[in-house]
């Protein structure tokens, strides 16, 4: 496929604000290069819309390199589209065929209300973090990095959990709109390290409490979250959180 | 212990109840299957009736029957509560719900499979349990035991009953295929070494137990055992 000759039909969710019901609208994306990212394709479409004096499609984005977790788009029935281990900004148009119809929806979750079109409010994640996703330390001089020795395995597992970018694809993918993978990653990244162990009990209790209050669903272990997570966060984290929670509740 | 009461009403606590009652029901299936498989001695039900007599008269088993009933109700009620909450968590459905790429259909259909099993269970209890515990079994076998075996033969003469039982066992197989390993995950029992073993055991259990159960009506209907 040479440059700039892909023509696609987009069915995109349009919604004015939180309170409006919203509907699908159809757009033509013409002259798209297979080397464009999915977001760049949206930029082209939006430019066209602006030139025609129409309202562009609102979507979230920031880093455009898979680290900020903003680009929430549910593409053809999958969060972040048809590829594994990437975000929407890392998805390229060569993953589609000329003439394809692509359905793009916002994340669907009671805890992620749609603000406009494809933009959702994920501040429920922030409130979960504020409930316990931290370690309390006295400020002062930075300590020597090797002051506290940490087994390599623990450090790696914690680091893998910390790779979570809070994108919410796990919630979007889950049939129950459950936030277990996200919360478990955040619980794990701290519970595995000596600095985090001190507050581990209250952390897991408070974060789960906040998660429930935000209206996320209950995990039924379908594994869709792990399959769709751009950072490939493992289900083992959920088991770890279950363990931590059980322990913290019963003692 | 300040958090114990909150625990049972939290999302994770409710899931623990589901997993724990589920595993308890798994042990029941094992015992039930073992006792019923005595029909395959093909001795006109003599051995099976001994087993049935023991299960019906032993006080420990009778007590466990109550616990079982309680566990089952808890499993069902909790499932209903969780399902309702989960539906509320996604008020607007996706136009394109996605397919089986990221999760299996049966892991997403536990409620449906469970409802089918509940419907089967009502039929099944009416067929055998009500008779053996309440309305009484009219005939006795050569050992002087109530002839539950004869009731089985009578019941499985009807083709529709056999069809319903076999289909129910297919539902059971898929319900277990997800439920067995899922319970361990919920209870936090996930381990690099043991999880693969648990998963394999779960798959074997989910195939073997429903298969043995399904063979019972089939064997009786088609006269493989007399
Ligand atoms: S666990 Fe994965 S899918 Fe969920 S928020 Fe973190 S990075 Fe995104
Ligand atoms: S825009 Fe930052 S992850 Fe996609």
């Amino acid at each position: 496929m040479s440059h700039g000759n892909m023509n696609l039909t987009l069915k995109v969710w349009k919604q004015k604000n939180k309170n409006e019901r919203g509907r699908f609208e159809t757009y033509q994306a013409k002259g798209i290069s297979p080397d464009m990212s999915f977001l760049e394709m949206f930029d082209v479409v939006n430019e066209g819309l602006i030139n025609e004096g129409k309202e562009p499609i609102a979507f979230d984005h920031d880093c455009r390199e898979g680290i900020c977790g903003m680009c929430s788009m549910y593409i053809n029935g999958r969060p972040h589209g048809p590829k594994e281990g990437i975000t929407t900004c890392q998805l390229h148009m060569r993953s589609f065929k000329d003439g394809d119809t692509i359905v793009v929806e916002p994340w669907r979750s009671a805890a992620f209300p749609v603000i406009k079109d494809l933009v959702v409010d994920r501040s429920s994640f922030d409130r979960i973090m504020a409930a316990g996703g931290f370690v309390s330390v006295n400020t002062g001089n930075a300590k020597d990095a090797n002051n506290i020795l940490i087994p390599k395995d623990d450090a790696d597992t914690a680091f893998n959990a910390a790779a979570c970018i809070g994108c919410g694809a796990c919630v979007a993918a889950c049939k129950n709109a459950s936030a277990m993978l996200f919360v478990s990653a955040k619980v794990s990244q701290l519970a595995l390290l000596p600095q985090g162990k001190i507050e581990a009990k209250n952390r897991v209790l408070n974060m789960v409490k906040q998660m429930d209050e935000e209206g996320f669903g209950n995990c039924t272990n379908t594994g869709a979250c792990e399959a769709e997570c751009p950072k490939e966060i493992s289900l083992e984290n959920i088991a770890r959180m279950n363990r931590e929670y059980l322990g913290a509740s019963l003692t | 212990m300040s958090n114990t009461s909150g625990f049972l009403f939290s999302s994770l606590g409710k899931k623990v109840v589901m997993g724990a009652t589920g595993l308890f029901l798994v042990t029941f299936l094992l015992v039930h299957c073992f006792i019923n498989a005595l029909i395959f001695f093909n001795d006109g039900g003599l051995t099976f009736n001994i087993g049935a007599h023991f299960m019906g008269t032993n006080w420990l088993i009778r007590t466990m029957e109550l616990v079982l009933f309680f566990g089952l109700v808890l499993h069902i009620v909790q499932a209903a509560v969780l399902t309702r909450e989960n539906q509320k968590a996604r008020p607007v459905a996706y136009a394109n719900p996605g397919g089986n790429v990221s999760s299996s259909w049966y892991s997403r259909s536990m409620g449906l499979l469970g409802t089918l099993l509940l419907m089967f269970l009502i039929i099944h209890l009416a067929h055998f349990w009500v008779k053996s515990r309440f309305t009484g079994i009219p005939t006795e076998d050569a050992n002087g035991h109530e002839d539950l075996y004869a009731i089985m033969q009578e019941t499985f003469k009807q083709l529709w009953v056999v069809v319903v039982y076999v289909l129910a066992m297919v539902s059971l197989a898929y319900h277990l295929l997800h439920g067995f390993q899922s319970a361990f995950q919920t209870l936090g029992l996930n381990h690099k070494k043991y999880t693969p073993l648990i998963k394999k055991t779960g798959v074997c259990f989910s195939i073997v137990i429903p298969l043995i159960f399904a063979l019972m009506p089939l064997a009786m209907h088609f006269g493989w055992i007399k």
Side-chain angles (χ1 to χ4, degrees), chain A residues 3-20:
Chain A
H3 285 260
N5 60 357
M6 273 179 101
N7 294 314
L8 304 147
T9 307
L10 303 178
K11 282 195 170 160
V12 182
W13 187 257
K14 284 290 286 178
Q15 183 172 334
K16 263 205 192 75
N17 52 45
K18 248 184 199 175
N19 306 319
E20 205 225 13

Side-chain angles (χ1 to χ4, degrees), chain B residues 148-169:
Chain B
L148 187 60
Y149 189 77
I151 305 260
M152 272 178 98
Q153 279 181 315
E154 196 55 38
T155 310
F156 292 138
K157 269 188 190 146
Q158 299 147 277
L159 185 64
W160 75 266
V161 176
V162 177
V163 172
V164 166
Y165 273 60
V166 170
L167 289 180
M169 287 311 105

Side-chain angles (χ1 to χ4, degrees), chain A residues 105 108 174 212 218 221 243, chain B residues 11 15 86 90 95 182 188:
Chain A
E105 303 173 66
R108 296 290 189 199
C174 176
D212 289 353
N218 306 288
N221 301 324
R243 218 158 43 227
Chain B
S11 57
K15 285 296 303 164
N86 290 346
R90 176 160 296 144
S182 176

Side-chain angles (χ1 to χ4, degrees), chain A residues 125 163-171 181-182 185 225 228-231 233:
Chain A
F125 268 12
C164 164
I165 54 175
C167 65
C170 42
V171 177
L181 195 64
F182 164 75
C225 53
E228 296 294 4
C229 172
K231 299 298 155 187
I233 302 292

Side-chain angles (χ1 to χ4, degrees), chain A residues 23-84:
Chain A
R23 78 230 153 256
F24 278 102
E25 225 148 84
T26 309
Y27 299 91
Q28 299 303 326
K30 292 208 177 76
I32 300 298
S33 155
D35 295 334
M36 280 180 188
S37 79
F38 202 80
L39 298 188
E40 284 167 333
M41 184 268 292
F42 261 74
D43 292 336
V44 171
V45 173
N46 274 346
E47 207 165 73
L49 289 171
I50 292 166
N51 287 340
E52 288 170 43
K54 291 187 187 144
E55 202 195 55
I57 306 159
F59 65 94
D60 250 336
H61 61 100
D62 187 14
C63 71
R64 298 212 178 197
E65 54 178 4
I67 53 171
C68 75
M70 289 305 284
C71 49
S72 49
M73 286 192 191
Y74 191 87
I75 303 158
N76 283 348
R78 296 184 67 184
H80 299 140
K83 290 275 153 95
E84 261 109 67

Side-chain angles (χ1 to χ4, degrees), chain A residues 132-195:
Chain A
F134 51 80
V135 285
S136 312
V137 285
N138 295 324
T139 49
N141 277 348
K143 287 192 182 152
D144 179 63
N146 291 326
N147 230 358
I148 306 168
L149 296 177
I150 299 165
K152 174 78 171 133
D153 271 357
D154 289 355
D156 285 350
T157 317
F159 190 82
N160 287 342
C164 164
I165 54 175
C167 65
C170 42
V171 177
C174 176
K175 91 181 227 298
N176 312 314
S178 164
M180 287 285 275
L181 195 64
F182 164 75
V183 182
S184 72
K186 296 305 173 192
V187 163
S188 291
Q189 74 186 28
L190 298 173
L192 283 160
L193 301 176
Q195 298 93 324

